[in-house]
Amino acid sequence: MGHGVRRPPPCGLPGPARPPPASRLPAFLRPPPQGSPWLVPARRGCCRAKRPPSPLPSAPWSTTPSSVRVLQPPRSPGAASCPCLAPSVLSFDISSLPAALKAGGSAWHPCYLLPQRDVTFVVGREQQKVFAHRCVLACRCQAFRGMLSQGPAGSEDSPSSIPPQGPFILGNVQPEVFLAVIEFLYTNSVTLNSHIALEVLTSSVEYGLQDLCKLCIKFIKDTLNVEQVCEALQAAVTYGQTDLQQHCLAFIEGCTAAVVRTQGFHELSDVVLARVLRSDRLAVDELDLVQAVREWAHVSSAVLERPVSEVAALPVQELRLPLLAPSELATLESQNQRDLLIPAESIAAAWRSHALKKGSGVPSHLCRPRRGTRPRDHHRHLDPHAK
């Protein structure tokens, strides 16, 4: 009697243990019954899910608050043949997905019931390993499709000879952020907190995941606070998110005095700070705003190793010096001799407006009081409609 060839256990399984039969699996691991109202027959033996009411956009992965149903994705030109994605329906707890992706198939988890993970990422300075499926990533994200077709960094092998496990080194990404991106690709939902939301937004833009970007923006808008609003505004300007820009600016206008004392304000770029200073609705007096800009300039000068006058050239153009009283302007001129924050021409123009008792020779918006400007006697001369 001949000896049969014993097949090695799948990668990640402690051999020689075998998968338990479906009847012995916990209820949340078992496939749904044949008559489940969630499923309708599809051609070629596939399954489709009736879409339940959900605030998330429709996608091949339809979600409910406590579970996700993973279906065979539609074929796409870049991933026409995905033999790993056999027609199957799985139901599992979303909250345990990140742990399964890090576990690498060492435990019985519903994600493990998909074919064995065949790609590994080494993420962050911690060099944390994250395991995933090439087919899922390629079908869901064009950027991953290109990455996986080229092989690991520094590899000169052809795509057909790339080892299935990689690994792919992503040293400039936090593991928690990358796991959030992977979670979205698998479940069409994402778990966010205030510490990673902006980083996940950055990754969503880099990977071209528009739906994930929308979810991040919604979360950021719903949880915006004084400490993070400047960082959110900087990200919104950098990535061209106009809606988030307007929301952040309105938030800053409502609590300007608190915002200008935060670290995030001192880390704004000169372009973004100038955009903030153009607003008429800032709830802070002009003298306090000048001092805030001076502190910002000194921080930027130290970081960029450039003169204060150079780093502040753009923002100081938006300071409304004609609004200051003569005594305040004299004090400012004395301080300015030490750091040359404000060009002498701008201070001279402010003195001229006081001498002529009108705002001639000064751009009209620099003579317009902001919402938080304290009234001063000479302001009536700056108003062109005053009699």
Side-chain angles (χ1 to χ4, degrees):
M1 184 173 181
H3 296 283
V5 178
R6 185 174 182 178
R7 297 181 179 177
C11 178
L13 271 180
R18 294 177 176 275
S23 60
R24 293 174 58 189
L25 290 174
F28 72 93
L29 290 179
R30 298 174 191 166
Q34 291 293 332
S36 171
W38 287 89
L39 303 178
V40 294
R43 291 180 296 177
R44 299 184 181 178
C46 300
C47 294
R48 292 200 302 266
K50 292 182 178 179
R51 297 171 181 167
S54 171
L56 294 176
S58 302
W61 285 262
S62 299
T63 62
T64 63
S66 61
S67 65
V68 60
R69 294 179 180 269
V70 183
L71 309 180
Q72 182 177 4
R75 294 182 180 272
S76 59
S81 61
C82 287
C84 298
L85 296 177
S88 62
V89 179
L90 309 176
S91 178
F92 59 93
D93 182 8
I94 294 177
S95 62
S96 56
L97 176 63
L101 293 172
K102 290 185 286 185
S106 60
W108 273 102
H109 185 276
C111 183
Y112 171 76
L113 296 180
L114 280 172
Q116 281 295 297
R117 273 148 284 190
D118 55 2
V119 61
T120 304
F121 297 91
V122 179
V123 185
R125 290 179 295 180
E126 302 88 343
Q127 296 187 345
Q128 178 175 316
K129 289 186 177 180
V130 177
F131 304 86
H133 304 83
R134 286 176 179 267
C135 288
V136 175
L137 303 187
C139 287
R140 290 280 280 157
C141 178
Q142 179 69 33
F144 274 112
R145 189 181 309 165
M147 180 193 303
L148 297 174
S149 65
Q150 294 175 5
S155 173
E156 298 180 356
D157 298 334
S158 62
S160 60
S161 62
I162 294 172
Q165 292 288 342
F168 292 86
I169 310 299
L170 302 175
N172 59 344
V173 182
Q174 296 182 37
E176 191 177 2
V177 172
F178 187 71
L179 284 171
V181 174
I182 297 296
E183 178 188 357
F184 173 79
L185 295 178
Y186 274 83
T187 68
N188 208 44
S189 62
V190 63
T191 304
L192 294 173
N193 59 57
S194 58
H195 300 293
I196 67 169
L198 288 171
E199 296 291 338
V200 176
L201 173 62
T202 300
S203 295
S204 70
V205 174
E206 292 176 349
Y207 290 122
L209 300 172
Q210 294 298 322
D211 290 339
L212 177 57
C213 181
K214 294 177 182 177
L215 292 177
C216 291
I217 290 176
K218 182 180 185 305
F219 178 88
I220 293 169
K221 291 167 65 175
D222 291 343
T223 60
L224 205 59
N225 58 55
V226 170
E227 295 295 331
Q228 295 181 332
V229 64
C230 289
E231 188 178 359
L233 176 61
Q234 183 70 58
V237 173
T238 301
Y239 301 120
Q241 302 298 324
T242 306
D243 183 50
L244 183 57
Q245 289 180 42
Q246 295 174 350
H247 187 87
C248 291
L249 185 57
F251 187 99
I252 293 173
E253 291 170 343
C255 49
T256 314
V259 170
V260 297
R261 294 193 295 266
T262 64
Q263 179 180 349
F265 179 83
H266 293 152
E267 295 176 350
L268 286 174
S269 68
D270 58 343
V271 174
V272 176
L273 178 57
R275 184 169 302 190
V276 172
L277 296 177
R278 293 190 191 106
S279 172
D280 293 337
R281 299 188 58 79
L282 296 180
V284 65
D285 185 66
E286 200 66 25
L287 189 61
D288 298 328
L289 199 56
V290 171
Q291 182 60 30
V293 172
R294 170 170 272 110
E295 294 175 0
W296 168 88
H298 282 271
V299 172
S300 298
S301 173
V303 173
L304 301 177
E305 298 181 348
R306 293 161 52 193
V308 169
S309 58
E310 184 178 335
V311 299
L314 185 60
V316 297
Q317 296 178 17
E318 305 301 331
L319 293 176
R320 305 181 180 185
L321 302 182
L323 298 179
L324 301 180
S327 60
E328 296 169 334
L329 192 57
T331 302
L332 176 63
E333 187 174 18
S334 175
Q335 294 174 345
N336 194 65
Q337 293 176 358
R338 295 194 293 267
D339 56 15
L340 301 179
L341 171 71
I342 302 172
E345 296 80 3
S346 299
I347 297 178
W351 279 119
R352 187 163 52 251
S353 68
H354 282 286
L356 299 176
K357 294 186 177 181
K358 60 181 180 179
S360 61
V362 179
S364 59
H365 72 279
L366 297 183
C367 298
R368 189 164 56 239
R370 305 182 196 267
R371 183 161 66 101
T373 301
R374 294 192 299 267
R376 295 165 174 85
D377 291 339
H378 72 285
H379 286 178
R380 65 180 184 273
H381 303 301
L382 301 177
D383 186 358
H385 302 289
K387 295 182 180 179

